[in-house]
Amino acid sequence: MRKLIPLVALVAFPISAQETSPSDPAAGVSQERLRADIDTLVGFGTRHTLSAQDDPERGIGAAVDWGLAEFGRISEDCGSCLEVLAPERTEPEGGRLPRPTRIRNAVAIQRGTERPDEVIIVQAHIDSRVSDVMDWESDAPGANDDGSGTVLVLEAARNLSRNSYPVTIVYALLSGEEQGLFGGRLMADYAEEQGWDVKAVLNNDVVGNSCGSDGYCDPDHVRVFSEGPRADLTDTIRAAQRREGGENDSPSRNLSRWLDNLASETEGGLDVRQIWRVDRMGRGGDQIPFMEKGYPAIRIAVAVEDYEHQHQDLRTEDGIVYGDTADEMDFAYLAKVTQFNIRALDKLARSPAPPATSAQAAVQTYTDISWSEVPGAVSYTVWQRRTDEPYWRDEPVIENVVATNARLEGVRGDDWIFGVSATGESGVMGPVSSAVPAGQFAPLAAPEDDSE
């Protein structure tokens, strides 16, 4: 058995495997309330981004106003604990925008009590569409795509706003997704402008059905999509990854692994099926603008999509009913996805940020691991796995480290991937940050000028 020798003394702290909150933060999720909110969204007729902005009853303007009003009501119930705002801008004509178009998001911010600039975002898009993406006049109920994600975000705000957290949670309803991810870009730009340290973005898009059009059903899983090589790699860092590894260790990928482990802790909940690509084949979602800025972001989606009830005109052909309507949804499943999000947000909001980690092992018979000290951490845990293993092992290498470095005597680093996670005072451990080029949960530096 190899000998593990830290560079400085280790001090053990008791860390519970269970969360320290007295009750399940997702216990208050209501299927009835989710269904009522879906019915309200469908009642706007269409929420197409090009639909009316000033009609109080129909169109995208009415839907965004309703989202803002719901956030306001939630804030009243928690003693004005939410800051409600509507970031907006006008996008120029081009692509799927035949004219300059107002893009407006509904956002609620629950400020952290200790580290308010450390931010977690849960989001969904509120706009809808039919078969022709340029048809803004026909009814587009958008019950599942993405009314399901929209009502999930509202339900998360209702449940989590009852508590206070050391870090900030942002609840966001985005416009313009179907026309080109415009609301996602607006939100990612807003996060950057605020100087937020975004440690996780949970994008929920199509999370309300459990059966596909071919009759295949899977009510027991939810898919989590994550990128491999991160989008903001520079040429220099990309070359370093080619030499040293890291193509399977982006912060988004480690966030996905963490969510998978979290799901396994809940008896009767959904199991995570990790999908190791940015999104479904040939498609995309509002997590992408955040990835492009270097923020850890994943997409949460149903285990099996129903294509006859997504992006379809309301019609019946050859005995088949088409259209994205509420009667095609599974609200028990949606409630489970909502609970999964709430439990994840609760733990992310009570855990420290993952530390930036590095490993030194060239031409030596031991490996030195070092990492940055992160606010709110009381201890750190060191992990390793073989380079051909997809997941971190169940047992860590060293746990309860209070230093920011450790030596793994007799471990030849060429054969391993290493990582470090941080644990806060609540006993909650955050995701692992890999000791690879670009493994840190933060945007990379601006691209270097390689012309010299």
Side-chain angles (χ1 to χ4, degrees):
M1 180 178 293
R2 64 175 178 270
K3 188 177 182 181
L4 306 177
I5 303 178
L7 295 183
V8 298
L10 306 183
V11 178
F13 287 84
I15 297 177
S16 171
Q18 303 296 322
E19 58 189 322
T20 58
S21 61
S23 60
D24 181 0
V29 169
S30 166
Q31 289 186 45
E32 293 75 16
R33 194 161 50 212
L34 291 168
R35 175 62 192 255
D37 284 350
I38 287 288
D39 289 342
T40 298
L41 284 168
V42 170
F44 293 117
T46 179
R47 306 188 303 278
H48 195 287
T49 302
L50 298 171
S51 62
Q53 294 278 355
D54 54 3
D55 188 321
E57 298 181 354
R58 180 180 176 88
I60 188 63
V64 173
D65 286 345
W66 173 78
L68 290 166
E70 282 300 299
F71 281 141
R73 281 187 280 271
I74 295 167
S75 185
E76 289 179 5
D77 290 341
C78 63
S80 300
C81 71
L82 302 180
E83 177 185 348
V84 181
L85 62 153
E88 71 169 85
R89 66 184 172 210
T90 299
E91 292 289 347
E93 175 184 346
R96 292 180 173 182
L97 298 180
R99 59 178 182 268
T101 302
R102 182 190 191 192
I103 303 296
R104 186 168 59 119
N105 295 336
V107 177
I109 303 174
Q110 184 176 343
R111 299 284 181 184
T113 58
E114 298 175 13
R115 306 186 299 279
D117 288 335
E118 189 177 315
V119 174
I120 305 147
I121 300 173
V122 58
Q123 63 181 28
H125 73 86
I126 197 170
D127 58 303
S128 63
R129 59 166 287 189
V130 289
S131 300
D132 180 1
V133 72
M134 302 304 290
D135 178 1
W136 62 83
E137 296 180 337
S138 298
D139 281 349
N144 198 16
D145 186 15
D146 185 28
S148 62
T150 297
V151 302
L152 179 156
V153 171
L154 291 171
E155 191 72 355
R158 292 187 186 105
N159 283 266
L160 293 172
S161 60
R162 301 168 183 170
N163 306 320
S164 62
Y165 294 96
V167 308
T168 294
I169 304 175
V170 175
Y171 311 92
L173 307 179
L174 312 177
S175 300
E177 193 267 355
E178 303 289 7
Q179 303 308 112
L181 311 183
F182 291 107
R185 290 195 175 90
L186 173 60
M187 193 66 219
D189 288 345
Y190 184 84
E192 185 177 48
E193 291 163 3
Q194 300 305 305
W196 288 343
D197 296 323
V198 179
K199 73 176 183 182
V201 179
L202 309 185
N203 184 53
N204 287 269
D205 195 347
V206 187
V207 290
N209 72 278
S210 57
C211 292
S213 55
D214 59 356
Y216 174 73
C217 298
D218 186 350
D220 301 320
H221 292 84
V222 65
R223 290 183 295 173
V224 174
F225 292 80
S226 63
E227 66 181 354
R230 54 191 291 172
D232 63 337
L233 290 177
T234 65
D235 289 344
T236 299
I237 297 176
R238 187 177 293 105
Q241 277 198 353
R242 289 178 62 196
R243 291 191 306 271
E244 300 176 26
E247 64 278 3
N248 196 26
D249 282 85
S250 70
S252 299
R253 184 62 46 82
N254 275 325
L255 176 60
S256 176
R257 292 183 176 108
W258 183 86
L259 289 167
D260 192 0
N261 289 334
L262 172 67
S264 66
E265 297 176 5
T266 304
E267 185 176 352
L270 296 173
D271 191 15
V272 164
R273 180 179 298 137
Q274 294 192 62
I275 309 296
W276 285 354
R277 50 168 50 110
V278 169
D279 209 306
R280 302 145 304 162
M281 297 179 70
R283 305 170 73 186
D286 282 320
Q287 75 279 9
I288 293 176
F290 290 89
M291 291 176 175
E292 291 172 345
K293 288 185 178 293
Y295 297 132
I298 51 90
R299 178 194 176 118
I300 299 172
V302 294
V304 55
E305 290 187 69
D306 183 353
Y307 303 120
E308 291 174 354
H309 302 100
Q310 181 187 132
H311 293 187
Q312 295 285 350
D313 291 337
L314 295 170
R315 69 194 193 279
T316 300
E317 288 182 1
D318 300 324
I320 299 173
V321 178
Y322 294 87
D324 189 355
T325 54
D327 58 307
E328 298 295 337
M329 293 175 62
D330 180 343
F331 284 92
Y333 179 85
L334 174 58
K336 286 188 176 183
V337 182
T338 303
Q339 290 175 322
F340 169 66
N341 273 264
I342 290 172
R343 293 179 183 121
L345 292 163
D346 173 77
K347 284 204 167 186
L348 287 167
R350 293 190 291 118
S351 62
T357 309
S358 62
Q360 302 295 326
V363 294
Q364 58 194 35
T365 60
Y366 55 88
T367 300
D368 286 335
I369 311 293
S370 60
W371 55 91
S372 61
E373 183 177 1
V374 293
V378 298
S379 67
Y380 304 91
T381 300
V382 180
W383 305 85
Q384 75 179 65
R385 68 179 202 274
R386 293 198 322 261
T387 61
D388 62 344
E389 286 180 322
Y391 308 118
W392 299 107
R393 295 183 169 186
D394 292 338
E395 297 298 326
V397 181
I398 313 176
E399 57 187 338
N400 302 341
V401 183
V402 297
T404 56
N405 48 53
R407 174 166 292 175
L408 278 56
E409 197 69 51
V411 178
R412 289 158 172 80
D414 297 339
D415 299 346
W416 302 94
I417 298 290
F418 304 96
V420 177
S421 58
T423 299
E425 292 183 0
S426 65
V428 178
M429 183 183 297
V432 175
S433 177
S434 294
V436 298
Q440 70 267 29
F441 275 57
L444 303 177
E448 302 93 337
D449 183 356
D450 295 328
S451 60
E452 296 181 0

